[in-house]
Amino acid sequence: MYTLLIADDEADERKLVQFLLREWTSEFRILEASNGKEALNILASEPVDILLSDIQMPFLSGIELAREARKICPDLEILFFSGYDDFEYVQNALSLRAVNYILKPLEPSEFHRSLTDILERLNKRTIQFANTEQYIESNFHKAETAPLPGPKNAETAPLPGPKNKEETTPPRRTQSFCSRSNSQLT
């Protein structure tokens, strides 16, 4: 399950986004923020995979929020939605590696298409992460009990390491790809 943060100062828009998400899939844990500053605080304290942000919000615009969010989590998937059809906003969104810039009122098929792209990217990243874990386990954990290289008459003892199987199994992905702390905020 992925965590998604909706940042919009309009409560009706947040409710609409939640409705569209729940109607389409139950793959998300949904968080909400009513302004950019609140959203940034959530991003600093919660593992979030996807940011859905309005452009115009109090305290911190969606563009400023995304810029700060990238410092906390460079791999965060960002989708902007806005009532402003302004090329400068689109340029800024693209410079922040946003997945898409959707105009309000949200068109459900375009919204779902953008989310499908995001989910495909996140799922691909999860598979790559799992494959990396398997590779590490199969190639490096075996080496813990291999004899040390050296002269043939030298005593070969196992390398120090975990004593049971649980200690050799790497942790599985249980949260966002983004790890953060409050010290990462500027």
PDB file of all heavy atoms in Angstrom, residues 7-10 34-36 53-63 80-84 86 89 101 104:
ATOM      1  N   ALA A   7      -2.668  17.832  -1.063  1.00  0.00           N
ATOM      2  CA  ALA A   7      -2.466  19.175  -0.539  1.00  0.00           C
ATOM      3  C   ALA A   7      -3.292  20.155  -1.374  1.00  0.00           C
ATOM      4  O   ALA A   7      -2.993  20.392  -2.542  1.00  0.00           O
ATOM      5  CB  ALA A   7      -0.986  19.551  -0.586  1.00  0.00           C
ATOM      6  N   ASP A   8      -4.347  20.675  -0.758  1.00  0.00           N
ATOM      7  CA  ASP A   8      -5.216  21.639  -1.445  1.00  0.00           C
ATOM      8  C   ASP A   8      -5.936  22.446  -0.375  1.00  0.00           C
ATOM      9  O   ASP A   8      -6.415  21.888   0.609  1.00  0.00           O
ATOM     10  CB  ASP A   8      -6.226  20.914  -2.332  1.00  0.00           C
ATOM     11  CG  ASP A   8      -6.907  21.840  -3.333  1.00  0.00           C
ATOM     12  OD1 ASP A   8      -7.237  22.995  -2.962  1.00  0.00           O
ATOM     13  OD2 ASP A   8      -7.132  21.408  -4.470  1.00  0.00           O
ATOM     14  N   ASP A   9      -6.024  23.760  -0.575  1.00  0.00           N
ATOM     15  CA  ASP A   9      -6.687  24.610   0.412  1.00  0.00           C
ATOM     16  C   ASP A   9      -8.201  24.553   0.313  1.00  0.00           C
ATOM     17  O   ASP A   9      -8.898  25.047   1.193  1.00  0.00           O
ATOM     18  CB  ASP A   9      -6.194  26.062   0.304  1.00  0.00           C
ATOM     19  CG  ASP A   9      -6.395  26.658  -1.075  1.00  0.00           C
ATOM     20  OD1 ASP A   9      -6.211  25.930  -2.070  1.00  0.00           O
ATOM     21  OD2 ASP A   9      -6.732  27.853  -1.160  1.00  0.00           O
ATOM     22  N   GLU A  10      -8.731  23.928  -0.723  1.00  0.00           N
ATOM     23  CA  GLU A  10     -10.181  23.798  -0.884  1.00  0.00           C
ATOM     24  C   GLU A  10     -10.630  22.410  -0.423  1.00  0.00           C
ATOM     25  O   GLU A  10     -10.296  21.401  -1.044  1.00  0.00           O
ATOM     26  CB  GLU A  10     -10.573  24.023  -2.342  1.00  0.00           C
ATOM     27  CG  GLU A  10     -10.233  25.420  -2.846  1.00  0.00           C
ATOM     28  CD  GLU A  10     -10.546  25.597  -4.315  1.00  0.00           C
ATOM     29  OE1 GLU A  10     -11.534  24.988  -4.797  1.00  0.00           O
ATOM     30  OE2 GLU A  10      -9.799  26.330  -4.985  1.00  0.00           O
ATOM     31  N   SER A  34      -4.326  21.138   4.266  1.00  0.00           N
ATOM     32  CA  SER A  34      -5.134  22.242   3.754  1.00  0.00           C
ATOM     33  C   SER A  34      -4.294  23.421   3.267  1.00  0.00           C
ATOM     34  O   SER A  34      -4.834  24.422   2.809  1.00  0.00           O
ATOM     35  CB  SER A  34      -6.123  22.713   4.822  1.00  0.00           C
ATOM     36  OG  SER A  34      -5.425  23.168   5.963  1.00  0.00           O
ATOM     37  N   ASN A  35      -2.963  23.308   3.382  1.00  0.00           N
ATOM     38  CA  ASN A  35      -2.075  24.337   2.853  1.00  0.00           C
ATOM     39  C   ASN A  35      -0.675  23.751   2.669  1.00  0.00           C
ATOM     40  O   ASN A  35      -0.390  22.643   3.127  1.00  0.00           O
ATOM     41  CB  ASN A  35      -2.058  25.588   3.753  1.00  0.00           C
ATOM     42  CG  ASN A  35      -1.554  25.293   5.148  1.00  0.00           C
ATOM     43  OD1 ASN A  35      -0.405  24.884   5.332  1.00  0.00           O
ATOM     44  ND2 ASN A  35      -2.406  25.507   6.148  1.00  0.00           N
ATOM     45  N   GLY A  36       0.196  24.504   2.020  1.00  0.00           N
ATOM     46  CA  GLY A  36       1.530  24.012   1.722  1.00  0.00           C
ATOM     47  C   GLY A  36       2.387  23.772   2.947  1.00  0.00           C
ATOM     48  O   GLY A  36       3.158  22.810   3.000  1.00  0.00           O
ATOM     49  N   SER A  53      -0.800  17.879  -5.419  1.00  0.00           N
ATOM     50  CA  SER A  53      -0.804  19.235  -4.879  1.00  0.00           C
ATOM     51  C   SER A  53      -1.438  20.243  -5.816  1.00  0.00           C
ATOM     52  O   SER A  53      -1.193  20.240  -7.025  1.00  0.00           O
ATOM     53  CB  SER A  53       0.643  19.679  -4.595  1.00  0.00           C
ATOM     54  OG  SER A  53       0.670  20.988  -4.075  1.00  0.00           O
ATOM     55  N   ASP A  54      -2.234  21.117  -5.206  1.00  0.00           N
ATOM     56  CA  ASP A  54      -2.730  22.299  -5.899  1.00  0.00           C
ATOM     57  C   ASP A  54      -1.539  23.243  -6.067  1.00  0.00           C
ATOM     58  O   ASP A  54      -0.548  23.147  -5.339  1.00  0.00           O
ATOM     59  CB  ASP A  54      -3.830  22.947  -5.054  1.00  0.00           C
ATOM     60  CG  ASP A  54      -4.547  24.082  -5.764  1.00  0.00           C
ATOM     61  OD1 ASP A  54      -4.377  24.237  -6.987  1.00  0.00           O
ATOM     62  OD2 ASP A  54      -5.279  24.815  -5.084  1.00  0.00           O
ATOM     63  N   ILE A  55      -1.629  24.157  -7.005  1.00  0.00           N
ATOM     64  CA  ILE A  55      -0.547  25.120  -7.232  1.00  0.00           C
ATOM     65  C   ILE A  55      -0.676  26.300  -6.272  1.00  0.00           C
ATOM     66  O   ILE A  55       0.274  26.671  -5.612  1.00  0.00           O
ATOM     67  CB  ILE A  55      -0.549  25.617  -8.692  1.00  0.00           C
ATOM     68  CG1 ILE A  55      -0.175  24.482  -9.641  1.00  0.00           C
ATOM     69  CG2 ILE A  55       0.389  26.799  -8.869  1.00  0.00           C
ATOM     70  CD1 ILE A  55       1.266  24.049  -9.603  1.00  0.00           C
ATOM     71  N   GLN A  56      -1.870  26.892  -6.192  1.00  0.00           N
ATOM     72  CA  GLN A  56      -2.092  28.069  -5.363  1.00  0.00           C
ATOM     73  C   GLN A  56      -2.646  27.665  -4.004  1.00  0.00           C
ATOM     74  O   GLN A  56      -3.776  27.191  -3.914  1.00  0.00           O
ATOM     75  CB  GLN A  56      -3.065  29.028  -6.054  1.00  0.00           C
ATOM     76  CG  GLN A  56      -2.508  29.697  -7.283  1.00  0.00           C
ATOM     77  CD  GLN A  56      -1.391  30.670  -6.942  1.00  0.00           C
ATOM     78  OE1 GLN A  56      -1.384  31.311  -5.896  1.00  0.00           O
ATOM     79  NE2 GLN A  56      -0.441  30.788  -7.841  1.00  0.00           N
ATOM     80  N   MET A  57      -1.816  27.829  -2.961  1.00  0.00           N
ATOM     81  CA  MET A  57      -2.233  27.530  -1.585  1.00  0.00           C
ATOM     82  C   MET A  57      -1.638  28.571  -0.651  1.00  0.00           C
ATOM     83  O   MET A  57      -0.604  29.156  -0.967  1.00  0.00           O
ATOM     84  CB  MET A  57      -1.732  26.139  -1.152  1.00  0.00           C
ATOM     85  CG  MET A  57      -2.351  24.982  -1.874  1.00  0.00           C
ATOM     86  SD  MET A  57      -1.803  23.402  -1.186  1.00  0.00           S
ATOM     87  CE  MET A  57      -0.077  23.382  -1.654  1.00  0.00           C
ATOM     88  N   PRO A  58      -2.257  28.762   0.513  1.00  0.00           N
ATOM     89  CA  PRO A  58      -1.700  29.702   1.485  1.00  0.00           C
ATOM     90  C   PRO A  58      -0.394  29.185   2.093  1.00  0.00           C
ATOM     91  O   PRO A  58      -0.156  27.988   2.121  1.00  0.00           O
ATOM     92  CB  PRO A  58      -2.777  29.794   2.570  1.00  0.00           C
ATOM     93  CG  PRO A  58      -3.941  29.023   2.109  1.00  0.00           C
ATOM     94  CD  PRO A  58      -3.539  28.224   0.916  1.00  0.00           C
ATOM     95  N   PHE A  59       0.413  30.100   2.556  1.00  0.00           N
ATOM     96  CA  PHE A  59       1.659  29.873   3.289  1.00  0.00           C
ATOM     97  C   PHE A  59       2.800  29.343   2.425  1.00  0.00           C
ATOM     98  O   PHE A  59       3.934  29.748   2.598  1.00  0.00           O
ATOM     99  CB  PHE A  59       1.464  28.949   4.503  1.00  0.00           C
ATOM    100  CG  PHE A  59       0.390  29.405   5.441  1.00  0.00           C
ATOM    101  CD1 PHE A  59      -0.765  28.667   5.595  1.00  0.00           C
ATOM    102  CD2 PHE A  59       0.522  30.598   6.135  1.00  0.00           C
ATOM    103  CE1 PHE A  59      -1.769  29.096   6.457  1.00  0.00           C
ATOM    104  CE2 PHE A  59      -0.476  31.033   6.999  1.00  0.00           C
ATOM    105  CZ  PHE A  59      -1.623  30.272   7.147  1.00  0.00           C
ATOM    106  N   LEU A  60       2.510  28.425   1.529  1.00  0.00           N
ATOM    107  CA  LEU A  60       3.529  27.823   0.676  1.00  0.00           C
ATOM    108  C   LEU A  60       2.816  27.331  -0.581  1.00  0.00           C
ATOM    109  O   LEU A  60       1.892  26.524  -0.484  1.00  0.00           O
ATOM    110  CB  LEU A  60       4.161  26.638   1.426  1.00  0.00           C
ATOM    111  CG  LEU A  60       5.533  26.140   1.041  1.00  0.00           C
ATOM    112  CD1 LEU A  60       6.600  27.212   1.282  1.00  0.00           C
ATOM    113  CD2 LEU A  60       5.885  24.907   1.866  1.00  0.00           C
ATOM    114  N   SER A  61       3.220  27.825  -1.737  1.00  0.00           N
ATOM    115  CA  SER A  61       2.555  27.390  -2.971  1.00  0.00           C
ATOM    116  C   SER A  61       2.901  25.927  -3.265  1.00  0.00           C
ATOM    117  O   SER A  61       3.838  25.372  -2.675  1.00  0.00           O
ATOM    118  CB  SER A  61       3.004  28.256  -4.153  1.00  0.00           C
ATOM    119  OG  SER A  61       4.312  27.903  -4.555  1.00  0.00           O
ATOM    120  N   GLY A  62       2.163  25.332  -4.177  1.00  0.00           N
ATOM    121  CA  GLY A  62       2.442  23.957  -4.562  1.00  0.00           C
ATOM    122  C   GLY A  62       3.836  23.800  -5.157  1.00  0.00           C
ATOM    123  O   GLY A  62       4.515  22.801  -4.925  1.00  0.00           O
ATOM    124  N   ILE A  63       4.281  24.798  -5.910  1.00  0.00           N
ATOM    125  CA  ILE A  63       5.632  24.766  -6.498  1.00  0.00           C
ATOM    126  C   ILE A  63       6.683  24.828  -5.396  1.00  0.00           C
ATOM    127  O   ILE A  63       7.645  24.050  -5.390  1.00  0.00           O
ATOM    128  CB  ILE A  63       5.822  25.927  -7.511  1.00  0.00           C
ATOM    129  CG1 ILE A  63       4.850  25.783  -8.692  1.00  0.00           C
ATOM    130  CG2 ILE A  63       7.267  26.022  -7.969  1.00  0.00           C
ATOM    131  CD1 ILE A  63       5.068  24.580  -9.581  1.00  0.00           C
ATOM    132  N   PHE A  80       0.541  17.655 -10.017  1.00  0.00           N
ATOM    133  CA  PHE A  80      -0.080  18.945  -9.746  1.00  0.00           C
ATOM    134  C   PHE A  80      -1.458  19.012 -10.382  1.00  0.00           C
ATOM    135  O   PHE A  80      -1.678  18.461 -11.456  1.00  0.00           O
ATOM    136  CB  PHE A  80       0.762  20.093 -10.331  1.00  0.00           C
ATOM    137  CG  PHE A  80       2.018  20.380  -9.582  1.00  0.00           C
ATOM    138  CD1 PHE A  80       3.251  20.092 -10.139  1.00  0.00           C
ATOM    139  CD2 PHE A  80       1.981  20.946  -8.321  1.00  0.00           C
ATOM    140  CE1 PHE A  80       4.421  20.357  -9.457  1.00  0.00           C
ATOM    141  CE2 PHE A  80       3.148  21.221  -7.622  1.00  0.00           C
ATOM    142  CZ  PHE A  80       4.377  20.918  -8.196  1.00  0.00           C
ATOM    143  N   PHE A  81      -2.362  19.700  -9.693  1.00  0.00           N
ATOM    144  CA  PHE A  81      -3.651  20.037 -10.295  1.00  0.00           C
ATOM    145  C   PHE A  81      -3.935  21.482  -9.940  1.00  0.00           C
ATOM    146  O   PHE A  81      -3.596  21.946  -8.856  1.00  0.00           O
ATOM    147  CB  PHE A  81      -4.780  19.090  -9.856  1.00  0.00           C
ATOM    148  CG  PHE A  81      -4.867  18.830  -8.386  1.00  0.00           C
ATOM    149  CD1 PHE A  81      -5.690  19.588  -7.575  1.00  0.00           C
ATOM    150  CD2 PHE A  81      -4.148  17.801  -7.811  1.00  0.00           C
ATOM    151  CE1 PHE A  81      -5.786  19.337  -6.213  1.00  0.00           C
ATOM    152  CE2 PHE A  81      -4.244  17.539  -6.444  1.00  0.00           C
ATOM    153  CZ  PHE A  81      -5.063  18.309  -5.648  1.00  0.00           C
ATOM    154  N   SER A  82      -4.525  22.196 -10.902  1.00  0.00           N
ATOM    155  CA  SER A  82      -4.699  23.631 -10.698  1.00  0.00           C
ATOM    156  C   SER A  82      -5.805  24.169 -11.576  1.00  0.00           C
ATOM    157  O   SER A  82      -6.092  23.617 -12.637  1.00  0.00           O
ATOM    158  CB  SER A  82      -3.386  24.353 -11.036  1.00  0.00           C
ATOM    159  OG  SER A  82      -3.551  25.746 -10.917  1.00  0.00           O
ATOM    160  N   GLY A  83      -6.379  25.258 -11.132  1.00  0.00           N
ATOM    161  CA  GLY A  83      -7.366  25.971 -11.939  1.00  0.00           C
ATOM    162  C   GLY A  83      -6.693  26.971 -12.867  1.00  0.00           C
ATOM    163  O   GLY A  83      -7.358  27.647 -13.643  1.00  0.00           O
ATOM    164  N   TYR A  84      -5.361  27.060 -12.805  1.00  0.00           N
ATOM    165  CA  TYR A  84      -4.609  28.033 -13.598  1.00  0.00           C
ATOM    166  C   TYR A  84      -3.955  27.358 -14.798  1.00  0.00           C
ATOM    167  O   TYR A  84      -3.116  26.477 -14.646  1.00  0.00           O
ATOM    168  CB  TYR A  84      -3.526  28.710 -12.747  1.00  0.00           C
ATOM    169  CG  TYR A  84      -4.098  29.511 -11.614  1.00  0.00           C
ATOM    170  CD1 TYR A  84      -4.288  28.935 -10.362  1.00  0.00           C
ATOM    171  CD2 TYR A  84      -4.461  30.842 -11.791  1.00  0.00           C
ATOM    172  CE1 TYR A  84      -4.822  29.663  -9.313  1.00  0.00           C
ATOM    173  CE2 TYR A  84      -5.001  31.579 -10.747  1.00  0.00           C
ATOM    174  CZ  TYR A  84      -5.176  30.981  -9.510  1.00  0.00           C
ATOM    175  OH  TYR A  84      -5.707  31.703  -8.484  1.00  0.00           O
ATOM    176  N   ASP A  86      -1.559  28.225 -16.844  1.00  0.00           N
ATOM    177  CA  ASP A  86      -0.468  29.172 -17.003  1.00  0.00           C
ATOM    178  C   ASP A  86       0.803  28.408 -17.368  1.00  0.00           C
ATOM    179  O   ASP A  86       1.238  27.519 -16.632  1.00  0.00           O
ATOM    180  CB  ASP A  86      -0.278  29.940 -15.694  1.00  0.00           C
ATOM    181  CG  ASP A  86       0.753  31.046 -15.794  1.00  0.00           C
ATOM    182  OD1 ASP A  86       1.768  30.880 -16.498  1.00  0.00           O
ATOM    183  OD2 ASP A  86       0.550  32.076 -15.130  1.00  0.00           O
ATOM    184  N   TYR A  89       3.560  28.010 -14.702  1.00  0.00           N
ATOM    185  CA  TYR A  89       3.319  26.965 -13.697  1.00  0.00           C
ATOM    186  C   TYR A  89       3.704  25.595 -14.254  1.00  0.00           C
ATOM    187  O   TYR A  89       4.325  24.781 -13.571  1.00  0.00           O
ATOM    188  CB  TYR A  89       1.851  26.935 -13.274  1.00  0.00           C
ATOM    189  CG  TYR A  89       1.418  28.104 -12.414  1.00  0.00           C
ATOM    190  CD1 TYR A  89       0.159  28.661 -12.575  1.00  0.00           C
ATOM    191  CD2 TYR A  89       2.234  28.623 -11.426  1.00  0.00           C
ATOM    192  CE1 TYR A  89      -0.270  29.720 -11.785  1.00  0.00           C
ATOM    193  CE2 TYR A  89       1.823  29.677 -10.629  1.00  0.00           C
ATOM    194  CZ  TYR A  89       0.570  30.225 -10.819  1.00  0.00           C
ATOM    195  OH  TYR A  89       0.157  31.265 -10.035  1.00  0.00           O
ATOM    196  N   TYR A 101       0.495  17.729 -14.892  1.00  0.00           N
ATOM    197  CA  TYR A 101      -0.123  18.971 -14.452  1.00  0.00           C
ATOM    198  C   TYR A 101      -1.537  18.936 -15.010  1.00  0.00           C
ATOM    199  O   TYR A 101      -1.730  19.056 -16.220  1.00  0.00           O
ATOM    200  CB  TYR A 101       0.667  20.149 -15.031  1.00  0.00           C
ATOM    201  CG  TYR A 101       0.196  21.514 -14.595  1.00  0.00           C
ATOM    202  CD1 TYR A 101       0.844  22.196 -13.575  1.00  0.00           C
ATOM    203  CD2 TYR A 101      -0.871  22.145 -15.231  1.00  0.00           C
ATOM    204  CE1 TYR A 101       0.439  23.470 -13.192  1.00  0.00           C
ATOM    205  CE2 TYR A 101      -1.286  23.408 -14.853  1.00  0.00           C
ATOM    206  CZ  TYR A 101      -0.626  24.063 -13.835  1.00  0.00           C
ATOM    207  OH  TYR A 101      -1.020  25.318 -13.448  1.00  0.00           O
ATOM    208  N   LYS A 104      -8.066  21.906 -13.221  1.00  0.00           N
ATOM    209  CA  LYS A 104      -9.351  21.740 -12.550  1.00  0.00           C
ATOM    210  C   LYS A 104     -10.426  22.297 -13.463  1.00  0.00           C
ATOM    211  O   LYS A 104     -10.158  23.248 -14.198  1.00  0.00           O
ATOM    212  CB  LYS A 104      -9.367  22.499 -11.220  1.00  0.00           C
ATOM    213  CG  LYS A 104      -8.465  21.949 -10.160  1.00  0.00           C
ATOM    214  CD  LYS A 104      -8.579  22.816  -8.921  1.00  0.00           C
ATOM    215  CE  LYS A 104      -7.679  22.401  -7.808  1.00  0.00           C
ATOM    216  NZ  LYS A 104      -7.785  23.281  -6.634  1.00  0.00           N
TER     217      LYS A 104
END
